[in-house]
Each structure stands twice: as structure tokens, then as C-alpha cells.
Amino acid sequence: MEVGKVAGTADSTPLKFHVAVADGAYLQLDDVVTCTRDVPGVGKVVTSGIVTDVISRHEGASFGSDVFLIADGVMPAQVQEVAEVTTTRVDPELFVPPRPGSAAHRASGEVRDRALYFDQMDAKVPVGLGRDGQPVFLNLEFLDGTRGAHVSISGISGVATKTSFALFLLHSVFTSGALGGRQTNAKALIFSVKGEDLLFLDQPNSKLTDTHASVYSRLGLAAAPFASTGFFSPPAPGDLTGRPNVKGRTSGVNAFWWTLDEFCQRELMRYVFTDVEDEKNQYTMVVHQVAARLKADAVAAGNDGAVSIDGRHARTWPELIDIVCDKLTDDTNEVERRRWAGPVTGIGTINAFIRRLRSSERHLTPILRGDLPAAGNRQISTSNQQVTVVDLHALHDRAQRFVVGVVLAAETERKEAAGAGGLLFTMLDELNKYAPRDGSSPIKEVLLDIAERGRSLGIILIGAQQTASEVERRIVSNSSIKVVGRLDPAEAGRPEYGFLPASQRGRATLAKPGTMFVSQPEIPVPLAVEFPFPAWATRLSEVVDPTFSNSASAGGGDAAAQPAAADPFSLLPDLDGDDGAIAEPGPDEPPF
């Protein structure tokens, strides 16, 4: 469909040109435009691009007040709209500028697919609908490690819907058929840090309408919850039966913890000191020395994970701390003290270590245990289900870092031993907390290892953060797929968002929930997409099955009585912690 002609009042280059919009036609941001030029000796050269800006002006007006004279018919002038088009593809690759006066067409069908390189994607993953209501795809090769890996998602908490998009991306990867035969060995590990919203991924969403379901159909996806899921939560405080600490869902959730014996034998002490400030202090030398001594001297005491060190038993984390502190401060046995603290460690450094270790007592006691009965399903593992959710919201920030560090390190070791035959998508929110730009920590080292060589192991990181400028540069730069939702204006001006054209940076500060700008290596311009309403429940009140709701309510406390939204079809689930409302579309907008 012809919408105008290449303008002659602005310079046309092979990378950017302008289109004067014809009367009765229009071009909007994100429209795909093509134009053709006959080149002697070559033939037709098709230049395709995306509209990145549109201006409308009176041609013939000189002053601001002239608009009133023109409106009254006193002064002659003509309204003209001009669209800026940023080139995405030149076919064949002869980089010549479009000629002024050449017809410009709005691309659709196969022409649109060629303009956006969809025709060259052997395995396509739907990520939503474009502004034209047609599907937008990611090239799986830049997601699964074949040619690139990792996803970085940025945006304001509660408005950018980062978690919602990450979950939809996983759903699309697992159900679109893009993985082919690798579908069986593809897993997802999700760390949930904000409420119990992700404990219902296996339940249909009662607020899903036929309109929402039709969007899934247009994307070639099933409007269904995640089929194979496993859920883990820390034990309830003060409960010696190993019951998970959840309120909204009381069935199908396993409690996780590490025994004191495992803590000692696996030398997990370094994950107790995971703050970046720890690495700046000398007591990190004591951390490694104590970890080595615990591994050498601690022996199992019984079948519940308790340990014994030189005849002293420890069944709880505070008891183990007492033993370690006594070893480090034993003035009556200088040889033993040096064995535990190091031969040249000063008393000031030892005291600093003890203070930091003591401060972990309250936070880590729920998950470091030697007083709970042995349970075979307490270890976090991705082996028995496709999607594994680790609920951390009830834990203190320090305990959350411990869990993330230990689990990621274990999964990395497991993948190294098993080889890259399968894929493990690891979804981690608040990435800036675990891998900040400055400083170092054991968790940051694990995440850097995943970012830099994870694709060779089959580990794909899906990291979400409010501010990409506060995340370690090497992690962001190693992410082939970059996604941006609603941004703070100050954050949008950071260099980390240089992949966004100026117009999209401005739009990102106004983007509504559900709208994301997706950048991938093959396409020079990020694509604006809107992803569909979740087909899975995001809270107990959205669960369809009344039996499930009733059984969960029996022990769910206040979580079972969450009020429903006034308009049950007007809210995009807020998985980022705030109220992120998305209004129903108008008559001229795609239905989301």
C-alpha cells in the first residue's frame, strides 16, 4: 500500500530517509516502510526501514500566529506530514540512498517479514504483537547460545512489567515449538523475590478472556499455564516438621534448606559473606580459612544434618556459629586458634569476621538446619520438572543472596558435568543487587561466569533490573537480547540505552504497562511489542479451580482473601511489586 513518496526536502542516506505522507494516508511510529530504486547494472534495490519519528507542519507559515490566519483561510498554506525512516534492511546489499519522489509503501505479509529479517530466522520465538497487530519474533539462535545468549530487561518497578514479560518469553520458548527436539531437556529456574505471585504458574487465570486468548492464537501459542512446574520455599520459622513458609498455596510446595553437614562439606561459608563490601575487608581471609577447617574437622552427627566438631554438637546455625567463634577466640590454645584464623591474622580482623558472622544468625537460621527430619525433596533441583520456582520473598536480603549464590553455583557445576546437551534458562530479578557495577562478591563471580561462558554450558541468564546502569557492564554487554519497558527519564539518558534511537528513548519514559522495546542483533532498530495477558494465575484470587482455592485457603491466612480488581479484565498482573494497570485497548488498537 503506497503511503507517500521519499521527500526531497531532507537528505536521504542509505541508513535514514524521510517520507512525505500522501493526503488520506498516515504513518505512525513503528510502521515498516519499503521503497524501491532501479540501479543501472544491478536492478531493483529495496530499502526497508521502521518509522522512528513523524512530524506535521504547515508549509508556507513563518510565524506561530500564522496558524490562525491559515485556519481562517486568509493565508494559503498546506499541511504536510513527514516520517523519518531508519533503515533495517537493503536487499540486495547495495547501500545507495532512496531517490526523492520514489513511492513508499507500508510493508505487510512477506514484505514485512523480509524487512525485519523474520524470513531468515530458522527458529522463531514470538514475543508479542507489533503496532500493526502482526507477530514480532526473536531469533532463537541469539537466545539459546547458538550465536548469542542472555536477556537483559530494564524498567521501572511495577510499571515496566519486567517479570510478566520474562515469564511470557519463557512460555513462548517452551510452547512455540522453536526448540524442536531440545524441548525435553530445556528447563527454567526462576527466583521469586516479590510475594507469592509465582507460586500459581501451573494454574489457569480466571481473568483470561476470549479476547486475550485470541492474541495467543495470533502468535501461534496456546493460552495455557505452565504444564510442568515445581515450587520451593524456605521452612516456616519455629516449625520442626519442615513445613514450607507459604500462605496462599499450601499444597505442591516443597520446603528447602541446607543441612549443617552440607554447609561444612561444600564450603558454603563464602556465600554467607556475599555483600560487595565484604570483599573490601581483610576478614575474607578468615572466611576461606574457617571454611577449610569446617570441611576438615566437622563430622556428621546423626541423620538430620547435625555436625560434631571436637566433641561439640551443633544442630542449629547459632550453635555452629558459637563453635566457630570459640575456636577463633580461644586464648588458651594458640595453636588451635591459628589453625582456624590463619597464622598471621590479627585480633582486629578476627573480631570483624565474628561480628559479621554473628549478624547472619537471625537471617540464615531458617535455611541452615540440623534439627529437621531428613527429606528427599528438600534440595532445589531442576531435574524433575521444566519450570522450577524458588520463592525467596520471606527471606532477608542476606539470606536471599545466600540461596541465589549456592543454587546458581550448584547448577553451573551440574551443567559442567552434564555438558551442554540441555538448556537452563535462569530468571533473576533485581540483578543490580546480585551483580552491582562496582565491587566483587561470590555471587557476582558466578553471574559473570554465566554471562561470559554460560552459552557454551547451555545456561541462559534472563536478568531483570530497574536500572541497567547499576549492573555489571560485562553482564549487560554479553546479553544478545535487550528489552526495555517504562524508564525513568534520568535513566533513559544513560549510555547503557544507546541501542535505543532518540525517539524510542523518549517513548520509553511514556510506555504503558505491557509495551516493551526489544533489541536483537539482526535488526538494527528495536521493535516495539505488546505481549498478551498472562494465561496463568498470578495470585490466589485468579485461580480457576475452586477446589485448589479452598485447599489453599485452609492454611492461607490473609492471602486467601485478596480483593479482586474492580474491572477483572483491566489489569496486567503486577509481578514487580506495585500497581501496574493496563487499560483495555481502544477501537483502533490491537486487543491486549
Side-chain angles (χ1 to χ4, degrees):
M1 173 184 176
E2 183 173 338
V3 291
K5 297 186 182 298
V6 177
T9 55
D11 293 340
S12 288
T13 72
L15 302 180
K16 185 175 292 185
F17 59 95
H18 295 77
V19 172
V21 183
D23 289 340
Y26 74 93
L27 282 175
Q28 66 168 331
L29 296 178
D30 306 314
D31 275 346
V32 182
V33 175
T34 64
C35 59
T36 304
R37 173 179 175 179
D38 285 319
V39 179
V42 177
K44 291 184 177 182
V45 175
V46 179
T47 302
S48 307
I50 293 176
V51 176
T52 51
D53 204 358
V54 183
I55 62 170
S56 179
R57 61 181 300 173
H58 269 135
E59 292 185 338
S62 302
F63 304 100
S65 59
D66 287 348
V67 66
F68 300 103
L69 299 175
I70 295 169
D72 293 337
V74 176
M75 176 182 291
Q78 181 173 341
V79 176
Q80 181 61 63
E81 291 185 358
V82 178
E84 175 192 83
V85 182
T86 301
T87 300
T88 57
R89 184 170 181 173
V90 179
D91 192 17
E93 286 194 352
L94 182 69
F95 288 92
V96 294
R99 300 294 296 271
S102 301
H105 299 81
R106 179 183 285 108
S108 61
E110 294 182 0
V111 177
R112 174 182 178 271
D113 289 348
R114 288 185 61 83
L116 301 179
Y117 291 90
F118 295 159
D119 63 316
Q120 294 187 358
M121 298 180 183
D122 294 331
K124 298 183 292 187
V125 177
V127 290
L129 299 181
R131 291 293 300 166
D132 56 2
Q134 299 303 309
V136 173
F137 301 95
L138 283 182
N139 190 341
L140 183 65
E141 292 184 353
F142 290 103
L143 184 62
D144 67 359
T146 302
R147 297 164 64 186
H150 313 310
V151 181
S152 174
I153 308 175
S154 305
I156 299 174
S157 178
V159 183
T161 55
K162 303 183 297 294
T163 305
S164 298
F165 179 80
L167 289 172
F168 172 72
L169 177 60
L170 288 174
H171 179 270
S172 184
V173 168
F174 291 147
T175 61
S176 64
L179 288 173
R182 295 180 297 169
Q183 173 80 19
T184 305
N185 294 323
K187 310 282 186 178
L189 175 63
I190 302 173
F191 293 98
S192 174
V193 297
K194 295 174 180 175
E196 297 183 9
D197 296 339
L198 304 190
L199 295 182
F200 307 97
L201 297 183
D202 59 337
Q203 300 297 314
N205 194 327
S206 62
K207 297 181 180 179
L208 190 75
T209 67
D210 291 340
T211 301
H212 297 142
S214 69
V215 179
Y216 284 87
S217 297
R218 291 160 67 182
L219 293 171
L221 303 174
F226 290 87
S228 175
T229 55
F231 303 97
F232 293 87
S233 180
D239 188 291
L240 296 181
T241 64
R243 178 175 59 88
N245 186 17
V246 292
K247 295 180 179 179
R249 177 171 187 161
T250 59
S251 60
V253 181
N254 296 319
F256 71 85
W257 68 88
W258 287 268
T259 67
L260 297 181
D261 185 43
E262 289 172 340
F263 180 85
C264 297
Q265 296 307 312
R266 293 172 57 183
E267 298 185 78
L268 300 183
M269 179 65 79
R270 64 186 184 276
Y271 295 107
V272 177
F273 298 81
T274 53
D275 193 286
V276 293
E277 295 297 325
D278 291 322
E279 292 295 318
K280 300 178 182 179
N281 293 281
Q282 293 184 352
Y283 58 70
T284 52
M285 298 184 297
V286 185
V287 173
H288 299 290
Q289 185 71 18
V290 169
R293 290 266 51 87
L294 287 174
K295 182 177 182 179
D297 294 356
V299 294
N303 298 322
D304 53 6
V307 294
S308 175
I309 301 175
D310 294 338
R312 292 182 61 182
H313 285 63
R315 292 176 54 81
T316 65
W317 175 236
E319 290 175 352
L320 183 60
I321 290 178
D322 288 341
I323 294 176
V324 171
C325 292
D326 289 345
K327 292 289 187 182
L328 292 173
T329 58
D330 187 1
D331 295 332
T332 63
N333 191 338
E334 184 68 16
V335 174
E336 186 70 0
R337 188 180 69 80
R338 289 185 177 183
R339 285 182 67 244
W340 281 79
V344 293
T345 305
I347 190 65
T349 301
I350 293 174
N351 288 337
F353 168 83
I354 291 175
R355 286 194 300 269
R356 184 72 172 144
L357 181 63
R358 288 285 189 192
S359 69
S360 73
E361 181 174 314
R362 180 166 60 93
H363 307 314
L364 295 183
T365 293
I367 56 176
L368 295 177
R369 311 295 290 264
D371 56 349
L372 293 179
N377 55 359
R378 66 170 178 81
Q379 294 184 340
I380 298 173
S381 172
T382 60
S383 346
N384 300 322
Q385 60 278 328
Q386 187 170 64
V387 178
T388 303
V389 177
V390 183
D391 177 32
L392 304 177
H393 85 278
L395 295 176
H396 183 271
D397 178 75
R398 189 169 183 182
Q400 290 180 3
R401 291 200 299 268
F402 178 88
V403 175
V404 171
V406 173
V407 173
L408 285 182
E411 287 296 322
T412 301
E413 292 175 3
R414 183 186 65 81
K415 286 292 293 178
E416 284 182 329
L423 292 173
L424 176 63
F425 295 91
T426 303
M427 177 178 152
L428 183 60
D429 200 0
E430 296 183 1
L431 188 59
N432 52 293
K433 180 172 72 175
Y434 303 103
R437 171 146 299 188
D438 301 318
S440 179
S441 72
I443 298 179
K444 185 174 178 178
E445 293 175 3
V446 172
L447 289 171
L448 273 173
D449 188 37
I450 292 174
E452 294 178 340
R453 68 185 188 99
R455 56 178 291 200
S456 63
L457 299 175
I459 304 178
I460 312 301
L461 178 64
I462 302 178
Q465 59 280 324
Q466 294 187 44
T467 52
S469 60
E470 297 180 2
V471 177
E472 167 61 42
R473 289 184 179 90
R474 285 176 289 174
I475 293 179
V476 176
S477 62
N478 275 290
S479 298
S480 297
I481 310 298
K482 296 180 176 64
V483 183
V484 171
R486 177 78 168 266
L487 288 177
D488 177 85
E491 177 68 10
R494 302 278 188 174
E496 287 73 21
Y497 305 95
F499 62 91
L500 292 173
S503 62
Q504 289 192 352
R505 287 198 188 198
R507 290 173 62 196
T509 64
L510 304 172
K512 66 179 182 179
T515 298
M516 314 297 282
F517 299 93
V518 181
S519 172
Q520 55 184 315
E522 276 184 321
I523 306 176
V525 181
L527 303 179
V529 303
E530 295 191 28
F531 61 96
F533 190 89
W536 46 91
T538 62
R539 54 179 61 90
L540 180 60
S541 61
E542 294 178 351
V543 175
V544 173
D545 184 5
T547 304
F548 178 93
S549 299
N550 291 336
S551 64
S553 300
D558 295 338
Q562 297 184 53
D567 179 355
F569 305 119
S570 65
L571 296 182
L572 183 68
D574 170 37
L575 302 182
D576 292 312
D578 302 319
D579 285 332
I582 175 171
E584 282 290 283
D588 297 327
E589 296 179 294
F592 292 98

